[in-house]
Amino acid sequence: MADGLLLVGASGLAREVLAAGITGVVGILDDDARLHGTHIAGIPVVGAVDDASARTESLLVCVGPSQARRALVARLGRRGVGDDRYATFVARSARIGASSDVGFGSILLDGVVVTADASIGRHVVIMPNCTITHDDVLSDFATLAAGVSLGGTVQVGEAAYLGMNASVRQGLAIGSESTVGMGAVVLEHVPAEATWAGVPAREIGARA
Ligand SMILES: CC(C)(COP(=O)(O)OP(=O)(O)OC[C@H]1O[C@@H](n2cnc3c(N)ncnc32)[C@H](O)[C@@H]1OP(=O)(O)O)[C@@H](O)C(=O)NCCC(=O)NCCS
């Protein structure tokens, strides 16, 4: 892996990653040409997303919405950007149990706690103060907004999105590409591609 790291996406998430003390960032890539040559939190925006294929730095995709992040990684893959290019960022104050693992491309912000035997996939984003407990499985491109709590043995499907402070009872599954609203209390399995919210959580029909 080459020296230096590029953040992909001049986003709020990129600024949060910088604020959480990531080191080694030499630039940001973004398709908004108006940003090229400007600085974000002191870091220069050095080019467009596709420029990643002609560069050698490692990469961290900072796109908050799960499916947009997955689409961007797929696009980079079509341009020859391999899995070996992706870094992982775990904020210093995050705690990951020794028996849990985190896949490449993933971002864990401040105060995240991952306890025992949990598995965090690739390009997963976990925002501040989330609690991931024993035997939870977060599939690739899942996103947990700030303060989400998962009981034990919860499965979060690929590219699912859980809003701020949602709680999921132990043993449940959140389907792939589904959305759970902020503040939800999830007491049943959530099917794929659905939007559930409320206490207790019920389908509200729309997709975020
Ligand atoms: C669930 C969510 C995706 C729905 O968004 P939406 O599709 O735009 O839905 P709307 O705002 O049009 O609301 C549709 C209905 O659901 C209700 N609703 C929306 N979000 C809700 C929530 N979190 N809890 C309970 N009810 C909710 C609305 O009151 C509305 O009800 P009504 O039809 O009786 O008036 C969104 O409200 C949400 O919670 N997003 C997560 C936000 C978040 O965590 N952001 C973090 C950014 S880092």
Side-chain angles (χ1 to χ4, degrees):
M1 188 92 69
D3 283 340
L5 176 64
L6 295 170
L7 303 184
V8 183
S11 59
L13 179 58
R15 285 183 284 117
E16 290 192 311
V17 163
L18 290 164
I22 194 169
T23 56
V25 179
V26 296
I28 297 173
L29 301 178
D30 195 280
D31 284 340
D32 185 346
R34 293 167 301 180
L35 295 176
H36 299 166
T38 68
H39 288 71
I40 291 175
I43 304 294
V45 182
V46 294
V49 169
D50 288 347
D51 294 347
S53 59
R55 302 184 64 122
T56 57
E57 296 93 341
S58 54
L59 306 169
L60 194 64
V61 176
C62 294
V63 173
S66 301
Q67 294 182 56
R69 187 164 66 254
R70 181 172 64 182
L72 195 147
V73 169
R75 173 179 149 193
L76 287 172
R78 288 192 296 275
R79 282 155 181 76
V81 174
D83 291 345
D84 59 332
R85 288 285 300 282
Y86 290 108
T88 301
F89 176 61
V90 178
R92 253 198 332 268
S93 68
R95 283 198 290 148
I96 302 174
S99 58
S100 296
D101 53 76
V102 178
F104 62 79
S106 290
I107 295 170
L108 277 64
L109 293 177
D110 279 307
V112 169
V113 175
V114 181
T115 66
D117 301 302
S119 175
I120 314 290
R122 298 171 295 157
H123 299 286
V124 169
V125 172
I126 309 182
M127 297 184 194
N129 296 327
C130 289
T131 306
I132 319 299
T133 61
H134 69 87
D135 302 301
D136 290 339
V137 176
L138 275 61
S139 302
D140 301 344
F141 303 102
T143 306
L144 272 51
V148 167
S149 294
L150 304 182
T153 323
V154 165
Q155 296 186 37
V156 178
E158 181 171 312
Y161 187 99
L162 278 67
M164 295 176 286
N165 293 309
S167 299
V168 183
R169 188 184 213 163
Q170 68 276 6
L172 295 180
I174 307 296
S176 59
E177 298 178 20
S178 58
T179 299
V180 173
M182 53 193 165
V185 173
V186 179
L187 300 178
E188 301 172 43
H189 297 306
V190 172
E193 300 179 16
T195 299
W196 281 42
V199 181
R202 300 274 183 253
E203 180 158 28
I204 63 169
R207 288 180 68 168

